[in-house]
Amino acid sequence: MANRPEAAGNFLVPNGTFIAELIAFLLILGILYRYVVPVVQKAMRERQEMIRRQVEESEEASRKLAEAQQRYRDALNEARNEAAEIRETARADAQRTVEELRVQAREESARIVARGEEQLRRQRDAIVRQLREEIGTLAVELAEKIIDQRLTEDARVRQTVDSFIAGLEAQDRAGEAARAGS
Amino acid sequence: MSATPQAVTVEVGDHIEWHLFGLTFNVDTILGTLVAGFIVVALGLLLRRSINSRKPSKLQIFFETVVAQVEEQVEGSMGIRTAPFVVPLAVTLFLFILIANWLAIVPTGHHPEYMPPPASDVNLTYALALFVIVLVHITGVRKRGFRSYYHHLLTPHPAMLPINIIEEIARPLTLALRLFGNIFSGVIMVSLIALFPAYILWAPDIIWKLFDMFIGLIQAFIFGLLTILYFASARPVEEGAH
């Protein structure tokens, strides 16, 4: 540098380039300032906002999930309780029905038995009445055959028979009375 | 000057010059500036066309990282709302200086190089630093008023005024010359390495240029960071908050 004649050789002294550099930088700055940096900042804000929203949404979703699970568990418990209740009621109903049926059956059987006895009594009475008529004739025939006696007067015979049967009846009534009494 | 004739030929700080209206223009610096500026602007506009907040491209992620870092720094030192324009300014400074510095790895093989890293010319660094400092002062006056802002020159004691003034002058000067020095030294290194014979030259050249890229990154970062910090010093302060 020593052999350079003038101050133009001193590289620490600015020259006209300074103006050009300043203008060039201002242009670059202007373009980036107006067209680039705001766009980048906007994109960054948007993404941050998006991430924030996604985090919020995921929190909301997990909260809802927990809520739904809670509701599901509650519903399940309720259903279980209800089922137990229904089972209990059904069991009680069944018991009551069985009891009722049993009582009914008992009554029915008692009624059938009573009717049977009644029928038996009526049949017996009928038989007794029939026998009363037949026994007379039979006894007379038997007596005729045994004693070979000709009874001329029917009226007398009838009288004898009637008194005989009356005796039988009396015996029968006395027996019945004794039965009823016991 | 050394006795070795070769050493004399290491000429740095030479520029391809145009003379116009009585002014001197270093065409190589301007070319480098334009190329770097074109790359930054082209990447920015390319990004603007393809921007997508849902599926960011790699380019978008790169820009977003830079912007997010700058925003964080601005927010931490003064609060973005105080001076929102500092964010794009610092982003532009960082990206532009970064790309400009990385031009250093492109060799043109001429002397002087057609396209040196433009920060190896003080004209660029002075322009950037002066622009930043002037804007800092304007912001300070706007936010706090002329009296209040320049009152800090008299603190902690009026006797400190000369020192404070020197500090104010030193700020743009150091801001400019730090960047210039670092990048300029890279150019000198490349010139020195070029003195090696060709069969050995490539190894230190590669190593140096990788390191130079790292320096370029660091310097771009420092320039952006200091810009933010200078703006932070101009913010409307609650007294005693320092």
Short mmCIF file of all heavy atoms in Angstrom, two decimals, chain A residues 1 4 11-12 14-22 24-26 28-29 31-33 35-37 39-41 43-47 50, chain B residues 12 14 24-26 29 33 37 44 47-48 51 53-54 56 64 68 71 85 87-88 92-93 96 122-124 126-128 131 180 184:
data_model
loop_
_atom_site.label_atom_id
_atom_site.label_comp_id
_atom_site.label_asym_id
_atom_site.label_seq_id
_atom_site.Cartn_x
_atom_site.Cartn_y
_atom_site.Cartn_z
N MET A 1 0.81 -1.20 0.00
CA MET A 1 0.00 0.00 0.00
C MET A 1 0.85 1.26 0.00
O MET A 1 0.41 2.33 -0.34
CB MET A 1 -0.91 0.01 1.22
CG MET A 1 -2.33 0.12 0.80
SD MET A 1 -3.40 -1.16 1.38
CE MET A 1 -2.54 -2.65 1.26
N ARG A 4 1.09 3.27 -3.06
CA ARG A 4 -0.10 3.94 -3.61
C ARG A 4 -0.03 5.43 -3.25
O ARG A 4 0.21 5.77 -2.10
CB ARG A 4 -1.37 3.35 -3.02
CG ARG A 4 -1.48 1.88 -3.32
CD ARG A 4 -2.90 1.49 -3.65
NE ARG A 4 -2.81 0.33 -4.54
CZ ARG A 4 -3.51 0.23 -5.66
NH1 ARG A 4 -4.34 1.20 -6.00
NH2 ARG A 4 -3.39 -0.81 -6.40
N PHE A 11 -8.19 1.71 2.96
CA PHE A 11 -9.45 0.96 2.84
C PHE A 11 -10.39 1.19 4.01
O PHE A 11 -11.47 0.62 4.07
CB PHE A 11 -9.19 -0.53 2.63
CG PHE A 11 -8.32 -1.16 3.67
CD1 PHE A 11 -8.82 -1.40 4.95
CD2 PHE A 11 -7.00 -1.51 3.38
CE1 PHE A 11 -8.01 -1.98 5.89
CE2 PHE A 11 -6.19 -2.09 4.34
CZ PHE A 11 -6.69 -2.33 5.61
N LEU A 12 -10.00 1.98 5.01
CA LEU A 12 -10.91 2.26 6.12
C LEU A 12 -11.76 3.50 5.87
O LEU A 12 -12.63 3.83 6.66
CB LEU A 12 -10.12 2.42 7.42
CG LEU A 12 -9.64 1.11 8.03
CD1 LEU A 12 -8.88 1.38 9.33
CD2 LEU A 12 -10.81 0.17 8.31
N PRO A 14 -14.56 5.35 3.78
CA PRO A 14 -15.64 5.02 2.83
C PRO A 14 -15.61 5.93 1.62
O PRO A 14 -15.08 7.03 1.68
CB PRO A 14 -16.91 5.27 3.65
CG PRO A 14 -16.51 6.24 4.70
CD PRO A 14 -15.06 5.97 5.02
N ASN A 15 -16.15 5.43 0.53
CA ASN A 15 -16.27 6.26 -0.67
C ASN A 15 -17.71 6.19 -1.17
O ASN A 15 -18.62 5.83 -0.42
CB ASN A 15 -15.25 5.82 -1.72
CG ASN A 15 -15.41 4.34 -2.08
OD1 ASN A 15 -16.46 3.77 -1.83
ND2 ASN A 15 -14.37 3.77 -2.65
N GLY A 16 -17.88 6.47 -2.42
CA GLY A 16 -19.24 6.52 -2.98
C GLY A 16 -19.99 5.21 -2.85
O GLY A 16 -21.23 5.17 -2.85
N THR A 17 -19.26 4.11 -2.70
CA THR A 17 -19.91 2.81 -2.56
C THR A 17 -20.89 2.81 -1.39
O THR A 17 -21.90 2.12 -1.41
CB THR A 17 -18.83 1.73 -2.32
OG1 THR A 17 -17.73 2.01 -3.15
CG2 THR A 17 -19.38 0.37 -2.60
N PHE A 18 -20.52 3.61 -0.38
CA PHE A 18 -21.36 3.71 0.81
C PHE A 18 -22.82 3.97 0.43
O PHE A 18 -23.73 3.30 0.93
CB PHE A 18 -20.82 4.85 1.69
CG PHE A 18 -21.62 5.08 2.93
CD1 PHE A 18 -21.34 4.37 4.08
CD2 PHE A 18 -22.66 5.99 2.94
CE1 PHE A 18 -22.08 4.59 5.23
CE2 PHE A 18 -23.40 6.21 4.08
CZ PHE A 18 -23.11 5.50 5.24
N ILE A 19 -23.03 4.92 -0.45
CA ILE A 19 -24.39 5.28 -0.84
C ILE A 19 -25.08 4.11 -1.51
O ILE A 19 -26.21 3.75 -1.19
CB ILE A 19 -24.36 6.51 -1.78
CG1 ILE A 19 -23.70 7.69 -1.08
CG2 ILE A 19 -25.75 6.85 -2.26
CD1 ILE A 19 -23.21 8.77 -2.01
N ALA A 20 -24.34 3.48 -2.42
CA ALA A 20 -24.91 2.34 -3.13
C ALA A 20 -25.27 1.22 -2.16
O ALA A 20 -26.34 0.61 -2.26
CB ALA A 20 -23.90 1.83 -4.16
N GLU A 21 -24.37 0.97 -1.21
CA GLU A 21 -24.63 -0.10 -0.23
C GLU A 21 -25.85 0.22 0.60
O GLU A 21 -26.70 -0.64 0.86
CB GLU A 21 -23.41 -0.26 0.69
CG GLU A 21 -22.16 -0.74 -0.01
CD GLU A 21 -22.32 -2.12 -0.59
OE1 GLU A 21 -23.07 -2.93 -0.02
OE2 GLU A 21 -21.71 -2.39 -1.63
N LEU A 22 -25.95 1.48 1.03
CA LEU A 22 -27.09 1.88 1.85
C LEU A 22 -28.38 1.68 1.09
O LEU A 22 -29.35 1.09 1.61
CB LEU A 22 -26.92 3.35 2.25
CG LEU A 22 -27.87 3.84 3.35
CD1 LEU A 22 -27.67 3.01 4.60
CD2 LEU A 22 -27.62 5.31 3.65
N ALA A 24 -28.91 -0.29 -1.46
CA ALA A 24 -29.15 -1.71 -1.69
C ALA A 24 -29.73 -2.36 -0.44
O ALA A 24 -30.71 -3.12 -0.51
CB ALA A 24 -27.84 -2.40 -2.07
N PHE A 25 -29.15 -2.04 0.70
CA PHE A 25 -29.65 -2.64 1.93
C PHE A 25 -31.08 -2.20 2.21
O PHE A 25 -31.93 -3.01 2.64
CB PHE A 25 -28.75 -2.31 3.11
CG PHE A 25 -29.28 -2.86 4.40
CD1 PHE A 25 -29.26 -4.24 4.63
CD2 PHE A 25 -29.87 -2.05 5.35
CE1 PHE A 25 -29.78 -4.77 5.79
CE2 PHE A 25 -30.40 -2.58 6.50
CZ PHE A 25 -30.35 -3.94 6.73
N LEU A 26 -31.36 -0.90 1.99
CA LEU A 26 -32.71 -0.41 2.24
C LEU A 26 -33.71 -1.15 1.36
O LEU A 26 -34.81 -1.49 1.81
CB LEU A 26 -32.79 1.10 1.99
CG LEU A 26 -32.15 1.95 3.09
CD1 LEU A 26 -32.20 3.42 2.74
CD2 LEU A 26 -32.81 1.69 4.42
N ILE A 28 -33.38 -4.23 0.16
CA ILE A 28 -33.54 -5.60 0.69
C ILE A 28 -34.41 -5.58 1.93
O ILE A 28 -35.35 -6.37 2.08
CB ILE A 28 -32.15 -6.20 1.01
CG1 ILE A 28 -31.31 -6.29 -0.26
CG2 ILE A 28 -32.29 -7.56 1.66
CD1 ILE A 28 -29.83 -6.46 0.03
N LEU A 29 -34.09 -4.63 2.81
CA LEU A 29 -34.86 -4.51 4.05
C LEU A 29 -36.33 -4.26 3.74
O LEU A 29 -37.22 -4.88 4.32
CB LEU A 29 -34.30 -3.38 4.91
CG LEU A 29 -35.08 -3.08 6.19
CD1 LEU A 29 -34.99 -4.27 7.12
CD2 LEU A 29 -34.54 -1.83 6.88
N ILE A 31 -38.08 -5.01 1.11
CA ILE A 31 -38.80 -6.19 0.57
C ILE A 31 -39.07 -7.19 1.69
O ILE A 31 -40.19 -7.68 1.84
CB ILE A 31 -37.97 -6.83 -0.57
CG1 ILE A 31 -37.90 -5.87 -1.75
CG2 ILE A 31 -38.61 -8.15 -0.99
CD1 ILE A 31 -36.97 -6.31 -2.85
N LEU A 32 -38.04 -7.49 2.48
CA LEU A 32 -38.24 -8.46 3.55
C LEU A 32 -39.24 -7.94 4.59
O LEU A 32 -40.07 -8.69 5.11
CB LEU A 32 -36.90 -8.81 4.22
CG LEU A 32 -36.31 -10.13 3.73
CD1 LEU A 32 -35.88 -10.00 2.29
CD2 LEU A 32 -35.13 -10.55 4.59
N TYR A 33 -39.14 -6.64 4.87
CA TYR A 33 -40.01 -6.02 5.87
C TYR A 33 -41.48 -6.10 5.44
O TYR A 33 -42.35 -6.40 6.23
CB TYR A 33 -39.60 -4.56 6.02
CG TYR A 33 -40.23 -3.83 7.18
CD1 TYR A 33 -39.50 -3.58 8.34
CD2 TYR A 33 -41.54 -3.38 7.11
CE1 TYR A 33 -40.06 -2.92 9.40
CE2 TYR A 33 -42.12 -2.71 8.18
CZ TYR A 33 -41.38 -2.47 9.31
OH TYR A 33 -41.93 -1.82 10.36
N TYR A 35 -42.83 -7.91 2.62
CA TYR A 35 -43.41 -9.08 1.95
C TYR A 35 -43.07 -10.42 2.60
O TYR A 35 -43.77 -11.39 2.36
CB TYR A 35 -42.97 -9.11 0.49
CG TYR A 35 -43.45 -7.92 -0.29
CD1 TYR A 35 -42.57 -6.96 -0.75
CD2 TYR A 35 -44.81 -7.76 -0.53
CE1 TYR A 35 -43.03 -5.85 -1.45
CE2 TYR A 35 -45.28 -6.66 -1.23
CZ TYR A 35 -44.38 -5.70 -1.69
OH TYR A 35 -44.84 -4.62 -2.37
N VAL A 36 -41.98 -10.46 3.35
CA VAL A 36 -41.55 -11.79 3.80
C VAL A 36 -41.79 -12.00 5.30
O VAL A 36 -42.50 -12.93 5.70
CB VAL A 36 -40.07 -12.03 3.46
CG1 VAL A 36 -39.64 -13.41 3.92
CG2 VAL A 36 -39.85 -11.88 1.96
N VAL A 37 -41.20 -11.12 6.12
CA VAL A 37 -41.25 -11.37 7.57
C VAL A 37 -42.69 -11.44 8.10
O VAL A 37 -43.02 -12.36 8.86
CB VAL A 37 -40.40 -10.33 8.32
CG1 VAL A 37 -40.56 -10.50 9.82
CG2 VAL A 37 -38.94 -10.48 7.94
N VAL A 39 -45.33 -12.42 6.65
CA VAL A 39 -45.93 -13.69 6.22
C VAL A 39 -45.44 -14.83 7.10
O VAL A 39 -46.21 -15.68 7.55
CB VAL A 39 -45.59 -13.94 4.73
CG1 VAL A 39 -46.12 -15.29 4.30
CG2 VAL A 39 -46.16 -12.85 3.87
N VAL A 40 -44.12 -14.81 7.36
CA VAL A 40 -43.54 -15.86 8.22
C VAL A 40 -44.15 -15.78 9.62
O VAL A 40 -44.54 -16.78 10.21
CB VAL A 40 -42.01 -15.71 8.28
CG1 VAL A 40 -41.44 -16.71 9.26
CG2 VAL A 40 -41.41 -15.93 6.91
N GLN A 41 -44.24 -14.55 10.13
CA GLN A 41 -44.80 -14.39 11.47
C GLN A 41 -46.24 -14.87 11.53
O GLN A 41 -46.65 -15.54 12.48
CB GLN A 41 -44.73 -12.91 11.88
CG GLN A 41 -43.32 -12.48 12.25
CD GLN A 41 -43.20 -11.00 12.53
OE1 GLN A 41 -43.79 -10.19 11.82
NE2 GLN A 41 -42.47 -10.65 13.56
N ALA A 43 -47.63 -17.12 9.60
CA ALA A 43 -47.65 -18.59 9.54
C ALA A 43 -47.31 -19.18 10.91
O ALA A 43 -47.92 -20.16 11.35
CB ALA A 43 -46.66 -19.08 8.49
N MET A 44 -46.33 -18.55 11.59
CA MET A 44 -45.95 -19.06 12.91
C MET A 44 -47.10 -18.93 13.89
O MET A 44 -47.41 -19.86 14.63
CB MET A 44 -44.73 -18.29 13.43
CG MET A 44 -43.43 -18.75 12.83
SD MET A 44 -42.13 -17.54 13.07
CE MET A 44 -42.12 -17.40 14.85
N ARG A 45 -47.75 -17.75 13.87
CA ARG A 45 -48.90 -17.54 14.78
C ARG A 45 -49.97 -18.58 14.51
O ARG A 45 -50.53 -19.16 15.41
CB ARG A 45 -49.49 -16.16 14.57
CG ARG A 45 -48.56 -15.02 14.76
CD ARG A 45 -48.39 -14.58 16.20
NE ARG A 45 -47.36 -13.58 16.27
CZ ARG A 45 -46.05 -13.86 16.19
NH1 ARG A 45 -45.64 -15.11 16.06
NH2 ARG A 45 -45.15 -12.89 16.25
N GLU A 46 -50.23 -18.75 13.20
CA GLU A 46 -51.30 -19.70 12.84
C GLU A 46 -51.00 -21.08 13.36
O GLU A 46 -51.87 -21.76 13.90
CB GLU A 46 -51.46 -19.75 11.32
CG GLU A 46 -52.40 -18.66 10.78
CD GLU A 46 -52.42 -18.65 9.27
OE1 GLU A 46 -51.90 -19.60 8.65
OE2 GLU A 46 -52.94 -17.67 8.71
N ARG A 47 -49.73 -21.50 13.20
CA ARG A 47 -49.41 -22.85 13.63
C ARG A 47 -49.49 -22.95 15.16
O ARG A 47 -50.00 -23.92 15.70
CB ARG A 47 -48.05 -23.29 13.14
CG ARG A 47 -47.91 -24.79 13.32
CD ARG A 47 -46.90 -25.45 12.43
NE ARG A 47 -45.58 -24.94 12.57
CZ ARG A 47 -44.97 -24.22 11.66
NH1 ARG A 47 -45.58 -23.95 10.53
NH2 ARG A 47 -43.76 -23.78 11.84
N MET A 50 -52.97 -23.18 15.99
CA MET A 50 -53.49 -24.50 15.63
C MET A 50 -53.10 -25.52 16.70
O MET A 50 -53.93 -26.32 17.15
CB MET A 50 -52.91 -24.91 14.28
CG MET A 50 -53.63 -26.01 13.58
SD MET A 50 -53.10 -26.05 11.86
CE MET A 50 -51.42 -26.60 12.04
N VAL B 12 -4.37 -6.43 -0.52
CA VAL B 12 -5.76 -6.57 -0.11
C VAL B 12 -6.36 -5.18 0.02
O VAL B 12 -5.65 -4.21 0.23
CB VAL B 12 -5.89 -7.33 1.22
CG1 VAL B 12 -5.62 -8.81 1.01
CG2 VAL B 12 -4.98 -6.74 2.25
N ASP B 14 -7.90 -3.83 -2.33
CA ASP B 14 -8.03 -3.27 -3.67
C ASP B 14 -9.41 -3.57 -4.21
O ASP B 14 -10.01 -4.60 -3.92
CB ASP B 14 -6.99 -3.92 -4.61
CG ASP B 14 -5.62 -3.31 -4.41
OD1 ASP B 14 -5.55 -2.36 -3.59
OD2 ASP B 14 -4.67 -3.79 -5.03
N THR B 24 -16.39 7.54 -6.09
CA THR B 24 -15.78 6.26 -6.46
C THR B 24 -16.69 5.13 -6.02
O THR B 24 -17.16 5.12 -4.88
CB THR B 24 -14.42 6.11 -5.77
OG1 THR B 24 -13.67 7.29 -6.02
CG2 THR B 24 -13.68 4.90 -6.30
N PHE B 25 -16.98 4.22 -6.94
CA PHE B 25 -17.82 3.06 -6.59
C PHE B 25 -17.01 1.79 -6.72
O PHE B 25 -16.37 1.56 -7.76
CB PHE B 25 -19.04 3.00 -7.51
CG PHE B 25 -19.99 4.14 -7.29
CD1 PHE B 25 -19.93 5.29 -8.07
CD2 PHE B 25 -20.95 4.07 -6.27
CE1 PHE B 25 -20.79 6.34 -7.85
CE2 PHE B 25 -21.82 5.12 -6.07
CZ PHE B 25 -21.75 6.26 -6.86
N ASN B 26 -17.03 0.99 -5.64
CA ASN B 26 -16.33 -0.29 -5.69
C ASN B 26 -17.28 -1.33 -6.29
O ASN B 26 -18.17 -1.84 -5.62
CB ASN B 26 -15.91 -0.74 -4.29
CG ASN B 26 -14.97 0.27 -3.67
OD1 ASN B 26 -14.36 1.08 -4.37
ND2 ASN B 26 -14.87 0.23 -2.36
N THR B 29 -17.69 -4.85 -4.65
CA THR B 29 -18.51 -4.87 -3.43
C THR B 29 -19.99 -4.78 -3.78
O THR B 29 -20.82 -5.50 -3.23
CB THR B 29 -18.13 -3.68 -2.53
OG1 THR B 29 -16.73 -3.71 -2.31
CG2 THR B 29 -18.88 -3.75 -1.22
N THR B 33 -22.89 -7.41 -2.95
CA THR B 33 -24.09 -7.00 -2.23
C THR B 33 -25.34 -7.38 -3.00
O THR B 33 -26.30 -7.92 -2.43
CB THR B 33 -24.08 -5.48 -2.02
OG1 THR B 33 -22.86 -5.12 -1.39
CG2 THR B 33 -25.26 -5.05 -1.18
N GLY B 37 -28.01 -9.92 -1.77
CA GLY B 37 -29.37 -9.38 -1.62
C GLY B 37 -30.36 -10.13 -2.48
O GLY B 37 -31.47 -10.46 -2.04
N GLY B 44 -36.78 -15.31 0.14
CA GLY B 44 -37.94 -14.76 0.85
C GLY B 44 -39.20 -14.81 0.01
O GLY B 44 -40.25 -15.25 0.48
N LEU B 47 -40.38 -18.31 -0.53
CA LEU B 47 -41.06 -18.77 0.67
C LEU B 47 -42.47 -18.20 0.72
O LEU B 47 -43.43 -18.91 1.04
CB LEU B 47 -40.28 -18.32 1.91
CG LEU B 47 -41.03 -18.46 3.23
CD1 LEU B 47 -41.22 -19.93 3.54
CD2 LEU B 47 -40.27 -17.78 4.34
N ARG B 48 -42.57 -16.91 0.40
CA ARG B 48 -43.87 -16.24 0.46
C ARG B 48 -44.90 -16.95 -0.43
O ARG B 48 -46.07 -17.05 -0.08
CB ARG B 48 -43.70 -14.80 0.01
CG ARG B 48 -44.97 -13.97 0.06
CD ARG B 48 -44.68 -12.58 -0.49
NE ARG B 48 -45.90 -11.97 -0.96
CZ ARG B 48 -46.76 -11.34 -0.18
NH1 ARG B 48 -46.51 -11.24 1.09
NH2 ARG B 48 -47.85 -10.81 -0.67
N ILE B 51 -45.74 -20.55 1.25
CA ILE B 51 -45.91 -20.62 2.71
C ILE B 51 -47.18 -21.38 3.06
O ILE B 51 -48.19 -21.31 2.37
CB ILE B 51 -45.92 -19.20 3.33
CG1 ILE B 51 -45.62 -19.29 4.81
CG2 ILE B 51 -47.26 -18.52 3.12
CD1 ILE B 51 -44.81 -18.15 5.32
N SER B 53 -49.01 -22.84 6.74
CA SER B 53 -48.86 -22.95 8.19
C SER B 53 -49.04 -24.38 8.67
O SER B 53 -48.68 -24.71 9.78
CB SER B 53 -49.87 -22.03 8.88
OG SER B 53 -51.17 -22.42 8.53
N ARG B 54 -49.60 -25.25 7.79
CA ARG B 54 -49.80 -26.63 8.23
C ARG B 54 -48.62 -27.53 7.88
O ARG B 54 -48.23 -28.37 8.67
CB ARG B 54 -51.07 -27.21 7.60
CG ARG B 54 -52.30 -26.60 8.19
CD ARG B 54 -53.55 -27.14 7.55
NE ARG B 54 -54.70 -26.63 8.26
CZ ARG B 54 -55.23 -27.21 9.32
NH1 ARG B 54 -54.72 -28.32 9.78
NH2 ARG B 54 -56.27 -26.68 9.92
N PRO B 56 -45.02 -26.88 6.75
CA PRO B 56 -43.91 -25.98 6.40
C PRO B 56 -42.83 -26.71 5.63
O PRO B 56 -42.50 -27.86 5.93
CB PRO B 56 -43.40 -25.50 7.75
CG PRO B 56 -43.81 -26.56 8.72
CD PRO B 56 -45.07 -27.17 8.19
N GLU B 64 -38.59 -19.49 9.72
CA GLU B 64 -39.33 -19.41 10.99
C GLU B 64 -38.39 -19.51 12.17
O GLU B 64 -38.59 -18.84 13.19
CB GLU B 64 -40.37 -20.53 11.05
CG GLU B 64 -41.56 -20.25 10.17
CD GLU B 64 -42.67 -21.26 10.36
OE1 GLU B 64 -42.51 -22.15 11.22
OE2 GLU B 64 -43.67 -21.17 9.65
N ALA B 68 -38.23 -16.66 14.78
CA ALA B 68 -38.60 -17.00 16.17
C ALA B 68 -37.47 -16.63 17.12
O ALA B 68 -37.73 -16.07 18.20
CB ALA B 68 -38.92 -18.49 16.27
N GLU B 71 -37.44 -12.89 17.45
CA GLU B 71 -38.58 -12.44 18.27
C GLU B 71 -38.32 -12.69 19.74
O GLU B 71 -38.60 -11.85 20.59
CB GLU B 71 -39.85 -13.18 17.84
CG GLU B 71 -40.51 -12.58 16.62
CD GLU B 71 -41.85 -13.22 16.34
OE1 GLU B 71 -42.18 -14.22 16.99
OE2 GLU B 71 -42.56 -12.70 15.46
N PHE B 85 -40.81 -3.16 14.70
CA PHE B 85 -40.05 -3.13 13.45
C PHE B 85 -38.63 -3.65 13.63
O PHE B 85 -37.93 -3.90 12.66
CB PHE B 85 -39.99 -1.70 12.90
CG PHE B 85 -39.40 -0.72 13.88
CD1 PHE B 85 -38.03 -0.49 13.92
CD2 PHE B 85 -40.21 -0.03 14.77
CE1 PHE B 85 -37.48 0.40 14.82
CE2 PHE B 85 -39.66 0.86 15.68
CZ PHE B 85 -38.30 1.07 15.71
N VAL B 87 -37.86 -6.51 14.71
CA VAL B 87 -37.81 -7.92 14.32
C VAL B 87 -37.45 -8.08 12.84
O VAL B 87 -36.46 -8.74 12.52
CB VAL B 87 -39.15 -8.62 14.65
CG1 VAL B 87 -39.13 -10.04 14.12
CG2 VAL B 87 -39.36 -8.61 16.15
N PRO B 88 -38.21 -7.48 11.92
CA PRO B 88 -37.81 -7.64 10.51
C PRO B 88 -36.43 -7.05 10.22
O PRO B 88 -35.69 -7.59 9.40
CB PRO B 88 -38.90 -6.90 9.72
CG PRO B 88 -39.73 -6.19 10.71
CD PRO B 88 -39.50 -6.79 12.05
N THR B 92 -33.56 -9.29 8.68
CA THR B 92 -32.94 -8.93 7.40
C THR B 92 -31.43 -8.81 7.56
O THR B 92 -30.66 -9.32 6.73
CB THR B 92 -33.51 -7.61 6.89
OG1 THR B 92 -34.93 -7.70 6.87
CG2 THR B 92 -33.00 -7.29 5.51
N LEU B 93 -31.01 -8.12 8.63
CA LEU B 93 -29.57 -7.96 8.84
C LEU B 93 -28.90 -9.31 8.94
O LEU B 93 -27.88 -9.57 8.29
CB LEU B 93 -29.32 -7.15 10.13
CG LEU B 93 -29.49 -5.64 10.00
CD1 LEU B 93 -29.46 -4.99 11.37
CD2 LEU B 93 -28.37 -5.07 9.13
N PHE B 96 -29.09 -11.27 5.50
CA PHE B 96 -28.28 -10.63 4.47
C PHE B 96 -26.79 -10.77 4.77
O PHE B 96 -26.01 -11.16 3.90
CB PHE B 96 -28.67 -9.15 4.35
CG PHE B 96 -27.75 -8.37 3.46
CD1 PHE B 96 -27.65 -8.68 2.11
CD2 PHE B 96 -26.97 -7.34 3.97
CE1 PHE B 96 -26.78 -7.98 1.29
CE2 PHE B 96 -26.11 -6.65 3.15
CZ PHE B 96 -26.02 -6.97 1.82
N VAL B 122 -15.45 -1.70 3.97
CA VAL B 122 -16.06 -0.89 5.04
C VAL B 122 -17.32 -0.18 4.58
O VAL B 122 -18.15 0.18 5.41
CB VAL B 122 -15.07 0.16 5.60
CG1 VAL B 122 -14.11 -0.48 6.56
CG2 VAL B 122 -14.38 0.89 4.49
N ASN B 123 -17.44 0.07 3.30
CA ASN B 123 -18.60 0.82 2.83
C ASN B 123 -19.90 0.14 3.24
O ASN B 123 -20.85 0.78 3.67
CB ASN B 123 -18.56 0.97 1.32
CG ASN B 123 -17.53 2.00 0.90
OD1 ASN B 123 -17.62 3.16 1.29
ND2 ASN B 123 -16.54 1.57 0.16
N LEU B 124 -19.95 -1.20 3.10
CA LEU B 124 -21.16 -1.93 3.49
C LEU B 124 -21.34 -1.85 5.00
O LEU B 124 -22.42 -1.52 5.48
CB LEU B 124 -21.07 -3.39 3.06
CG LEU B 124 -22.20 -4.25 3.62
CD1 LEU B 124 -23.54 -3.79 3.08
CD2 LEU B 124 -21.98 -5.72 3.33
N TYR B 126 -20.13 0.17 7.25
CA TYR B 126 -20.48 1.53 7.71
C TYR B 126 -21.95 1.82 7.43
O TYR B 126 -22.67 2.36 8.29
CB TYR B 126 -19.63 2.58 7.00
CG TYR B 126 -18.22 2.72 7.53
CD1 TYR B 126 -17.19 3.21 6.71
CD2 TYR B 126 -17.91 2.40 8.84
CE1 TYR B 126 -15.90 3.35 7.19
CE2 TYR B 126 -16.62 2.53 9.33
CZ TYR B 126 -15.62 3.00 8.50
OH TYR B 126 -14.35 3.14 8.97
N ALA B 127 -22.37 1.47 6.23
CA ALA B 127 -23.76 1.77 5.86
C ALA B 127 -24.72 1.07 6.81
O ALA B 127 -25.66 1.67 7.34
CB ALA B 127 -24.02 1.33 4.42
N LEU B 128 -24.48 -0.22 7.06
CA LEU B 128 -25.37 -0.98 7.94
C LEU B 128 -25.35 -0.40 9.35
O LEU B 128 -26.40 -0.14 9.96
CB LEU B 128 -24.94 -2.46 7.98
CG LEU B 128 -25.05 -3.25 6.68
CD1 LEU B 128 -24.64 -4.70 6.93
CD2 LEU B 128 -26.46 -3.19 6.12
N PHE B 131 -26.94 3.07 9.61
CA PHE B 131 -28.40 2.95 9.49
C PHE B 131 -28.99 2.49 10.82
O PHE B 131 -29.96 3.07 11.33
CB PHE B 131 -28.74 1.96 8.38
CG PHE B 131 -30.21 1.73 8.22
CD1 PHE B 131 -31.04 2.75 7.74
CD2 PHE B 131 -30.78 0.53 8.57
CE1 PHE B 131 -32.39 2.54 7.60
CE2 PHE B 131 -32.14 0.32 8.42
CZ PHE B 131 -32.95 1.33 7.94
N PHE B 180 -16.45 -5.88 9.58
CA PHE B 180 -15.47 -5.68 8.51
C PHE B 180 -14.19 -6.46 8.81
O PHE B 180 -13.69 -7.21 7.98
CB PHE B 180 -15.17 -4.19 8.36
CG PHE B 180 -13.94 -3.91 7.57
CD1 PHE B 180 -13.92 -4.13 6.20
CD2 PHE B 180 -12.78 -3.45 8.20
CE1 PHE B 180 -12.77 -3.88 5.46
CE2 PHE B 180 -11.63 -3.21 7.46
CZ PHE B 180 -11.63 -3.43 6.09
N PHE B 184 -12.84 -9.28 6.49
CA PHE B 184 -11.65 -8.84 5.77
C PHE B 184 -10.47 -9.77 6.06
O PHE B 184 -9.71 -10.13 5.17
CB PHE B 184 -11.32 -7.39 6.17
CG PHE B 184 -10.23 -6.78 5.37
CD1 PHE B 184 -10.36 -6.67 3.98
CD2 PHE B 184 -9.08 -6.28 5.96
CE1 PHE B 184 -9.35 -6.09 3.23
CE2 PHE B 184 -8.08 -5.70 5.21
CZ PHE B 184 -8.22 -5.61 3.84
#
